[in-house]
């Protein structure tokens, strides 16, 4: 009966703020690379370097960010992240208007956005288990992912329209407004009860080591982390070259480029709505293994079909179905991590996971840029899609291969 009750008001406010921010981010997902490729004539390597900057902070400051967030109140961290991101994005249309926009500025904006995302996301994930009971975390994460995918359905399509009508730099101003609205909503997120005292005594290095030991010491959590890192590493190799292929080599319109992201979001929405049902049917561990394997095959099948003819529709459909399959792994793994983590370690655990998993993404993007410059965008995407199939191996070599219910679930 408890799962049929409304989730707490604090969660609903966090949910709303996250949805507003994600709506604008879906616009930037398409608009920022189109600024580089369409306005500044970026090469494959330069486009890959932009994606590298978008994730670089997770690799450089991911671990200490978790320890810092565990010492700080979460709401001010989230508000500051929103405000700085808004300012960074507004600098792009301002520079374009002054005719001084350059690739180094885009790299700086992308890196600054990634720094803010590190702190905002770690604070948000750390706050969630304090807003929702442990047995409702799966439900809460499903709602967050479903809403994120709903916003991303319209976001890239809207970005395509805005880029076509207003130019890509101006389209980024829409995202800046969304971050300002999120900054107004976050202060209304309140937890029921006092926050535990910040850790004392141990130094920053010891606190980071504690988070690493917890994540890597749990066999199931270690398998999930490695699988996620492999998936992100090779997935970003291909993702870094997707816009180079579509907008650069194939010359597709911004609206058609946005259709790929819209399909991914539609697939993710469907997958998030099916996650609890699939996990109950197959068992949580086996569902996660199947999720990674099936999504990898679908994404691999899409690569040869990205053409400027009728095959493009088939590629878009396969790309979306890949996200439908992958959401079971994504949502179940996050809920498991939040459920088994001791409360004082929430920030460091989230940061450790993102350091390993998201830290693989700038490496993958840089590799994608180099491969794209050397071999071409499509061969780089082939390498990324083939490598992504390897992500299922850590799961098959762990207790997840036969587990129906995860410990702590």
């Amino acid at each position: 009966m408890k799962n049929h009750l409304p989730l707490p008001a604090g969660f609903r406010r966090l949910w709303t703020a996250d949805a507003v921010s994600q709506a604008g981010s879906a616009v930037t997902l398409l608009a920022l690379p189109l600024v580089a490729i369409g306005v500044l004539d970026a090469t494959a390597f330069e486009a890959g370097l932009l994606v590298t900057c978008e994730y670089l902070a997770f690799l450089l400051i991911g671990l200490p960010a978790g320890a810092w967030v565990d010492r700080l109140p979460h709401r001010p961290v989230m508000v500051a992240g929103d405000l700085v991101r808004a300012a960074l994005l507004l600098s792009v249309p301002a520079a374009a208007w002054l005719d001084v926009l350059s690739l180094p500025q885009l790299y700086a904006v992308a890196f600054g956005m990634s720094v803010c995302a590190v702190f905002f996301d770690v604070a948000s994930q750390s706050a969630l288990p304090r807003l929702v009971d442990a047995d409702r975390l799966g439900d809460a994460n499903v709602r967050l992912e479903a809403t994120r995918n709903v916003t991303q359905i319209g976001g890239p399509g809207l970005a395509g329209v805005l880029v076509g009508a207003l130019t890509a730099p101006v389209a980024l101003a829409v995202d800046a407004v969304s971050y300002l609205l999120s900054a107004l909503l976050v202060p209304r997120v309140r937890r029921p009860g006092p926050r535990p005292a910040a850790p004392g005594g141990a130094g920053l290095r010891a606190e980071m080591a504690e988070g690493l030991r917890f994540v890597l010491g749990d066999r199931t959590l270690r398998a999930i982390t490695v699988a996620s890192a492999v998936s992100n590493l090779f997935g970003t190799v291909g993702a870094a070259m997707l816009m180079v292929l579509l907008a650069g080599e194939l010359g597709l319109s911004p609206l058609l480029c946005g259709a790929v992201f819209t399909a991914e979001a539609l697939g993710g929405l469907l997958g998030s709505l099916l996650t609890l049902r699939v996990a109950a049917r197959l068992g949580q561990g086996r569902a996660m293994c199947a999720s990674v394997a099936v999504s990898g095959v679908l994404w691999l099948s899409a690569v040869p079909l990205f053409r400027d003819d009728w095959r493009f529709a088939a590629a878009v459909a396969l790309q979306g179905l890949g996200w439908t399959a992958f959401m079971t792994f994504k949502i179940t793994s996050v809920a498991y991590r939040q459920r088994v983590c001791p409360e004082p370690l929430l920030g460091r655990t989230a940061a450790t996971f993102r350091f390993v998993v998201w830290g693989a993404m700038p490496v993958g993007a840089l590799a994608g840029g180099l491969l794209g410059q050397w071999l071409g965008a499509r061969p780089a995407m082939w390498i990324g899609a083939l490598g992504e199939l390897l992500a299922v191996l850590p799961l098959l070599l762990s207790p997840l291969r036969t587990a129906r219910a995860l410990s702590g679930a």
Side-chain angles (χ1 to χ4, degrees):
M1 284 298 294
K2 193 169 186 178
N3 285 338
H4 297 290
L5 296 175
L7 286 162
F11 167 76
R12 295 198 300 271
R13 290 166 185 154
L14 178 66
W15 187 12
T16 302
D18 184 73
V20 170
S21 178
Q22 292 294 330
S25 297
V27 173
T28 298
L29 184 67
L30 179 65
L32 195 61
L34 286 181
V35 172
I37 296 168
V39 178
L40 300 174
D41 297 319
T43 65
F45 174 73
E46 289 168 339
L49 190 57
L50 178 65
V51 178
T52 300
C53 292
E54 289 176 339
Y55 299 106
L56 188 57
F58 290 93
L59 182 63
L60 297 182
I61 63 169
L63 282 179
W68 289 327
V69 168
D70 278 337
R71 298 177 178 201
L72 298 169
H74 295 147
R75 283 175 294 167
V77 171
M78 295 164 69
V79 170
D82 277 334
L83 293 176
V84 174
R85 283 186 284 189
L88 288 168
L89 288 177
L90 287 172
S91 74
V92 177
W97 181 67
L98 294 171
D99 199 26
V100 293
L101 184 63
S102 64
L103 279 171
Q105 179 183 347
L106 284 191
Y107 296 150
V109 168
F111 178 69
M113 295 284 289
S114 73
V115 171
C116 295
V118 167
F119 285 97
F120 185 97
D121 293 351
V122 170
S124 176
Q125 286 202 5
S126 301
L128 183 59
R130 297 185 179 119
L131 298 171
V132 179
D133 291 339
D135 59 352
R136 304 294 305 278
L137 281 172
D139 186 21
N141 277 290
V142 163
R143 297 189 190 200
L144 285 169
E145 287 297 335
T147 305
R148 287 169 188 166
N149 283 290
V150 166
T151 61
Q152 289 171 8
I153 289 169
L158 175 61
V161 173
L162 290 172
V163 170
L166 303 174
T167 74
V170 177
L172 291 173
V174 175
D175 194 7
V177 172
S178 76
Y179 284 121
L180 292 173
L181 290 174
S182 177
L184 293 174
L185 291 168
V186 167
R188 301 182 67 237
V189 177
R190 299 186 181 278
R191 64 180 61 84
R195 181 187 176 193
L204 184 64
R205 184 176 299 180
E207 291 174 17
M208 290 190 294
E210 191 176 5
L212 274 169
R213 281 196 301 271
F214 178 79
V215 171
L216 301 180
D218 181 290
R219 188 179 175 191
T220 300
L221 198 54
R222 182 171 65 247
I224 290 171
T225 303
V226 173
S228 300
V230 171
S231 178
N232 277 2
L233 174 67
F234 287 101
T236 314
V237 169
M241 290 298 99
L242 181 59
M243 284 298 103
V244 174
L245 176 66
L246 300 184
E249 296 185 9
L250 299 181
L252 299 182
S253 69
L255 195 59
L256 287 176
C257 293
V260 179
F261 297 105
T262 299
E264 291 178 351
L266 279 168
L269 172 62
L270 178 60
S272 64
L273 296 176
L274 294 174
T275 289
L276 297 179
R277 188 174 301 177
V278 171
R281 181 70 175 267
L282 299 180
Q284 292 176 326
R286 283 178 285 185
M288 291 171 75
C289 294
S291 170
V292 174
V294 172
S295 63
V297 171
L298 289 168
W299 287 328
L300 179 66
S301 302
V303 173
L305 300 178
F306 280 113
R307 305 285 178 177
D308 58 353
D309 54 27
W310 62 269
R311 289 172 289 182
F312 178 74
V316 169
L318 288 168
Q319 194 80 2
L321 288 172
W323 277 99
T324 300
F326 190 72
M327 291 308 291
T328 295
F329 171 76
K330 183 177 180 181
I331 291 174
T332 305
S333 63
V334 171
Y336 172 77
R337 189 177 75 246
Q338 291 172 336
R339 189 179 296 116
V340 301
C341 178
E343 192 163 319
L345 285 176
L346 283 168
R348 278 165 284 171
T349 299
T352 298
F353 183 82
R354 284 177 176 260
F355 166 73
V356 177
V357 173
W358 287 55
M361 296 175 80
V363 178
L366 184 60
L370 291 169
L371 290 168
Q373 193 74 31
W374 180 35
L375 301 174
R378 195 184 302 275
M381 291 177 65
W382 273 114
I383 292 171
L386 287 167
E388 199 155 1
L389 293 173
L390 300 174
V392 74
L393 293 180
L395 305 180
L396 294 176
L397 296 173
S398 77
L400 289 166
R401 182 170 56 86
T402 56
R404 284 202 59 85
L406 302 182
S407 60

